[in-house]
């Protein structure tokens, strides 16, 4: 069965600083990979996704992520964090089973941004 | 597009009562997912439907939980009887089977069982 590990439960960065959130997955083949963001009291919003092709994917709000097969990682990055980026971030792995893509989520990383 | 719609947004009920959560997926989407989010267990997939048919309900915690999708635009998640440990945020998400498999989440229903 697939699994996702987000080793950092909580990260604090200063506004304007760069950000990298870590995500490692376990799956026998190349999965579908996703990053979602959840603001307090809200649902999850898709930031970006990887299915195949270029291993560096661009998403919304200035985020990007890089798929590294050798490290089974899909880390999320942003060169300059804004205060509005404070939220919880979830990495997810999708395994298409013929009818839909079931997602397994990591435990999340809560991002705090200091001014 | 209105996105995924869930109702109610908040529900407070007493232990033993029946609770029904509702979801309207995005028009045209043919897969629907129910998730539960708690501090202890994170985000868990409870059940998902494809073309209104339940495909995988292995995440449903026990027989007190049931889900239906009578048509392409409506689904319910029912808990009967409810227990305090069912307190959580319940999310509904929908996606297209074909294509990029992106799941779009609703705003969630915060359930409190006292």
């Amino acid at each position: 069965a697939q699994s996702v590990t987000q080793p950092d439960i909580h990260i604090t960065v200063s506004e304007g600083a760069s950000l990298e959130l870590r995500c490692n997955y376990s799956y026998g083949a190349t999965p579908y990979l996703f990053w979602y963001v959840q603001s307090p009291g809200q649902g999850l919003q898709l930031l970006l996704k990887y299915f195949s092709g270029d291993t560096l994917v661009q998403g919304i709000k200035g985020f990007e992520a890089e798929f590294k097969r050798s490290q089974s990682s899909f880390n999320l990055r942003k060169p300059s964090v804004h205060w509005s980026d404070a939220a919880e971030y979830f990495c997810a792995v999708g395994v298409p089973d013929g009818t839909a893509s079931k997602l397994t989520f990591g435990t999340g990383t809560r991002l705090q941004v200091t001014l | 597009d209105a996105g995924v719609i869930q109702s109610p947004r908040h529900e407070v009920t007493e232990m033993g009562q029946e609770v029904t959560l509702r979801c309207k997926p995005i028009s045209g989407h043919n897969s629907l997912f129910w998730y539960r989010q708690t501090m202890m267990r994170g985000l868990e997939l409870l059940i998902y439907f494809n073309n209104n048919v339940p495909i995988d309900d292995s995440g449903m915690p026990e027989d007190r939980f049931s889900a239906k999708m009578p048509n392409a635009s409506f689904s319910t998640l029912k808990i009967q009887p409810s227990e305090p440990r069912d307190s959580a945020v319940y999310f509904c998400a929908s996606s297209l089977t074909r294509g990029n498999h992106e799941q779009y989440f609703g705003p969630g229903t915060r359930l409190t069982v006292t």
Side-chain angles (χ1 to χ4, degrees):
Chain A
Q2 68 277 11
S3 65
V4 178
T5 301
Q6 292 181 249
D8 303 306
I9 296 173
H10 186 214
I11 284 182
T12 300
V13 300
S14 300
E15 188 175 41
S18 63
L19 172 70
E20 182 169 29
L21 302 182
R22 295 183 291 166
C23 172
N24 292 95
Y25 69 89
S26 174
Y27 181 61
T30 300
Y32 297 162
L33 294 162
F34 305 82
W35 274 101
Y36 283 84
V37 60
Q38 183 181 29
S39 297
Q42 303 297 313
L44 279 70
Q45 180 185 19
L46 180 67
L47 283 176
L48 47 77
K49 60 187 182 291
Y50 172 80
F51 294 123
S52 64
D54 192 347
T55 56
L56 183 63
V57 293
Q58 302 297 321
I60 63 172
K61 305 184 180 185
F63 285 92
E64 66 178 26
E66 186 171 12
F67 169 59
K68 292 186 177 180
R69 185 191 307 275
S70 61
Q71 299 178 18
S72 296
S73 69
F74 189 57
N75 294 348
L76 181 70
R77 301 193 296 247
K78 186 170 185 178
S80 179
V81 170
H82 188 263
W83 65 266
S84 61
D85 294 324
E88 187 144 23
Y89 292 79
F90 292 91
C91 181
V93 57
V95 178
D97 67 355
T99 55
S101 182
K102 295 172 55 176
L103 297 186
T104 299
F105 285 84
T107 51
T109 297
R110 183 167 298 278
L111 173 65
Q112 183 177 357
V113 181
T114 58
L115 301 177
Chain B
D1 195 325
V4 176
I5 299 173
Q6 291 188 247
S7 65
R9 292 294 309 276
H10 301 273
E11 178 79 40
V12 180
T13 191
E14 293 183 347
M15 183 174 62
Q17 296 300 304
E18 177 179 297
V19 175
T20 299
L21 311 182
R22 298 172 176 81
C23 175
K24 176 179 171 56
I26 292 173
S27 178
H29 283 190
N30 58 350
S31 293
L32 183 140
F33 306 79
W34 282 102
Y35 292 89
R36 178 173 66 177
Q37 186 178 39
T38 62
M39 290 291 293
M40 293 297 295
R41 301 176 66 88
L43 201 59
E44 305 172 276
L45 176 65
L46 300 177
I47 184 172
Y48 82 92
F49 296 83
N50 183 253
N51 293 326
N52 312 336
V53 177
I55 302 300
D56 185 346
D57 65 354
S58 59
M60 296 286 262
E62 48 197 277
D63 292 345
R64 297 184 298 107
F65 285 70
S66 63
K68 294 182 179 180
M69 192 164 187
N71 57 62
S73 60
F74 184 66
S75 177
T76 59
L77 178 67
K78 185 176 295 185
I79 308 173
Q80 165 64 14
S82 58
E83 297 182 3
R85 60 194 169 116
D86 301 330
S87 297
V89 181
Y90 291 81
F91 288 103
C92 176
S94 69
S95 74
L96 285 167
T97 299
R98 298 184 184 277
N100 54 26
H101 300 275
E102 293 179 22
Q103 291 186 23
Y104 294 82
F105 282 74
T109 295
R110 181 174 295 278
L111 173 65
T112 303
V113 183
T114 60

